[in-house]
């Protein structure tokens, strides 16, 4: 469940008392910058020159990299957090190694390694946290829809019972004879 595989959350079905599933549950909106693996999300994304295989190749991946991707790194979810953690870890480890007595190239190697590892760990942690949050939001929406459907069903049942009680009272009033007569 901690994986972020860009699949929409599974829908368990309509809440009790509802005949159709709400529109936002049928096609959930995913708030991601990059399109998911769904074919409807990537409509028109594949060109005629590309073959549509289930597993992309490395060359297709390298061709998909654009120049603008490097200028929009700050818009990628979790990238900023990962880079900031990596920079802090690299600076701390590099300076620590230098102050302990390592030469500058060795300290720089340690700093880069710490940057790389710190960035990857923070990236993965952030992505797992986002996946958990996404699943929790899907559950919350499902619970809210179910509660709303239950409230509508209860209101409809109360209205039906009220109509039946009024009809019964009307029938009793019609069948009941009055104890007095004007003439």
């Amino acid at each position: 469940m901690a994986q972020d595989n860009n699949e929409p959350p599974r829908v368990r079905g309509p809440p009790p008392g509802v005949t159709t599933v709400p529109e936002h549950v049928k096609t959930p909106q995913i708030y991601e910058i990059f399109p998911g693996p769904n074919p409807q999300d990537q409509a028109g994304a594949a060109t005629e020159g590309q073959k549509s295989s289930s597993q992309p190749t490395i060359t297709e991946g390298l061709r998909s990299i654009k120049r603008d991707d490097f200028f929009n790194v700050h818009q990628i979810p979790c990238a900023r957090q990962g880079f900031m953690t990596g920079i802090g870890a690299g600076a701390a480890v590099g300076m620590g190694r230098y102050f302990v007595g390592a030469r500058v190239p060795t300290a720089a190697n340690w700093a880069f390694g710490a940057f790389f590892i710190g960035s990857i760990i923070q990236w993965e942690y952030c992505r797992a946290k986002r996946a958990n949050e996404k699943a929790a939001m899907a559950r919350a929406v499902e619970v809210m829809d179910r509660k709303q459907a239950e409230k509508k069903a209860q209101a409809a049942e109360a209205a039906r019972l009220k109509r039946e009680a009024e009809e019964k009272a009307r029938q009793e009033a019609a069948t009941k004879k009055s104890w007095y007569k004007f003439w």
Side-chain angles (χ1 to χ4, degrees):
M1 189 135 85
Q3 301 177 31
D4 188 14
N5 53 8
N6 291 333
E7 291 181 8
R10 291 186 309 157
V11 179
R12 296 184 190 161
V18 174
T19 56
T20 61
V21 179
E23 185 63 33
H24 69 278
V25 175
K26 286 183 194 173
T27 56
Q29 184 176 3
I30 298 176
Y31 297 98
E32 291 286 336
I33 295 173
F34 303 110
N38 297 341
Q40 67 215 15
D41 293 343
Q42 295 179 353
T47 61
E48 293 177 13
Q50 293 177 333
K51 59 181 179 181
S52 59
S53 63
S54 61
Q55 290 291 334
T57 63
I58 294 175
T59 55
E60 287 176 357
L62 291 175
R63 285 184 194 143
S64 70
I65 298 174
K66 301 177 195 99
R67 185 177 178 180
D68 292 336
D69 291 342
F70 296 104
F71 296 118
N72 296 327
V73 171
H74 63 281
Q75 293 178 347
I76 298 173
C78 300
R80 180 182 183 275
Q81 223 173 357
F83 282 135
M84 294 302 283
T85 302
I87 290 169
V93 169
M95 283 191 283
R97 288 292 294 171
Y98 180 72
F99 291 146
V100 168
R103 287 192 264 159
V104 173
T106 305
N109 288 341
W110 277 85
F112 179 76
F115 164 76
F116 191 71
I117 291 172
S119 296
I120 289 175
I121 290 173
Q122 180 61 34
W123 169 275
E124 291 298 328
Y125 174 74
C126 179
R127 297 296 284 187
K129 204 162 88 171
R130 283 175 55 90
N132 289 341
E133 185 177 321
K134 188 175 174 182
M137 286 173 52
R139 283 192 300 269
V141 167
E142 184 179 340
V143 167
M144 292 299 290
D145 287 341
R146 185 166 292 155
K147 288 196 181 269
Q148 187 177 23
E150 288 174 3
K151 283 183 180 180
K152 284 182 181 179
Q154 287 175 353
E157 181 67 21
R160 186 185 62 80
L161 290 175
K162 184 178 178 183
R163 279 193 310 263
E164 287 177 359
E166 288 174 355
E167 184 64 33
K168 187 176 180 182
R170 218 178 290 123
Q171 286 177 353
E172 286 179 5
T175 58
K176 190 178 192 183
K177 293 186 177 181
S178 60
W179 53 274
Y180 61 91
K181 284 188 176 181
F182 286 108
W183 20 93

